[in-house]
């Protein structure tokens, strides 16, 4: 019976801790995200979209943010392939799941010359957009919020902070 008198204190501490957690999460959702971009193009890169609607949608999302990607079939700068062997996990319980991989060729000055993107055939829109971000020269940001398009462990398509044309080289 004597411990019942302490319950308002415990309730207050719980409310305080909840408030701190909410503030940290809110700050992560509202703060500016700096996405490193040490590489860039000296022209609008050409990418083959083929008949893949997810790739076409990812290209459109980057173009909507001011990045000058062009679709084409000849003289392509960005080549996309689909490879089911990208999943290199030892077991399905392994968390290190790879949806795509980007290989860039660039000059010492940081000008991208050619990009090869390999994606799993089952990769979704977020994986396509994430790998295209690498093709544009972006890297994974430090302390990236979950769901950001350049989040390496769980990219999303709603958070594009730091990826607008004003960041163009």
């Amino acid at each position: 019976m004597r411990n019942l008198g302490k319950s308002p204190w415990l309730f207050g501490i719980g409310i305080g801790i909840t408030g701190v957690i909410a503030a940290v999460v809110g700050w992560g959702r509202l703060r500016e995200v700096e996405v490193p971009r040490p590489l860039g193009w000296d022209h609008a890169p050409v990418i083959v979209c083929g008949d893949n609607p997810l790739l076409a949608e990812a290209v459109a999302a980057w173009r909507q943010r001011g990045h000058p990607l062009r679709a084409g079939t000849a003289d392509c700068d960005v080549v996309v392939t689909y490879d089911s062997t990208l999943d290199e996990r030892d077991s399905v319980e392994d968390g290190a799941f790879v949806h795509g991989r980007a290989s860039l060729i660039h000059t010492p000055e940081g000008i991208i010359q050619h990009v090869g993107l390999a994606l799993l055939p089952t990769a979704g829109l977020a994986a396509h957009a994430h790998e295209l971000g690498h093709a544009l020269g972006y890297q994974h940001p430090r302390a990236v919020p979950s769901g950001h398009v350049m989040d390496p462990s769980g990219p999303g398509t709603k958070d594009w902070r730091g990826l607008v044309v004003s960041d163009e080289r």
Side-chain angles (χ1 to χ4, degrees), residues 57-134:
E57 190 175 346
V59 167
W62 281 102
R63 290 186 72 195
Q64 182 180 4
R65 283 149 185 89
H67 294 278
L69 285 168
R70 296 182 298 142
T73 56
D75 299 324
C76 293
D77 300 304
V78 180
V79 176
V80 180
T81 58
Y82 294 91
D83 183 1
S84 59
T85 64
L86 281 177
D87 186 3
E88 300 170 345
R89 297 178 297 169
D90 293 329
S91 72
V92 293
E93 286 83 25
D94 186 1
F97 191 70
V98 175
H99 293 276
R101 184 166 286 132
S103 301
L104 286 75
I105 298 172
H106 60 86
T107 66
E109 295 79 26
I111 304 300
I112 301 172
Q113 302 293 305
H114 183 77
V115 176
L117 299 180
L119 290 145
L120 280 175
T122 58
L125 176 60
H128 282 80
H130 179 90
E131 295 307 325
L132 278 176
H134 289 308

Side-chain angles (χ1 to χ4, degrees), residues 27-52:
W27 174 79
R29 294 287 176 215
L30 298 175
R31 71 179 171 86
E32 186 65 34
V33 175
E34 291 186 29
V35 183
R37 190 178 189 198
L39 305 173
W41 292 90
D42 62 357
H43 63 280
V46 178
I47 182 169
V48 176
C49 292
D51 60 352
N52 187 326

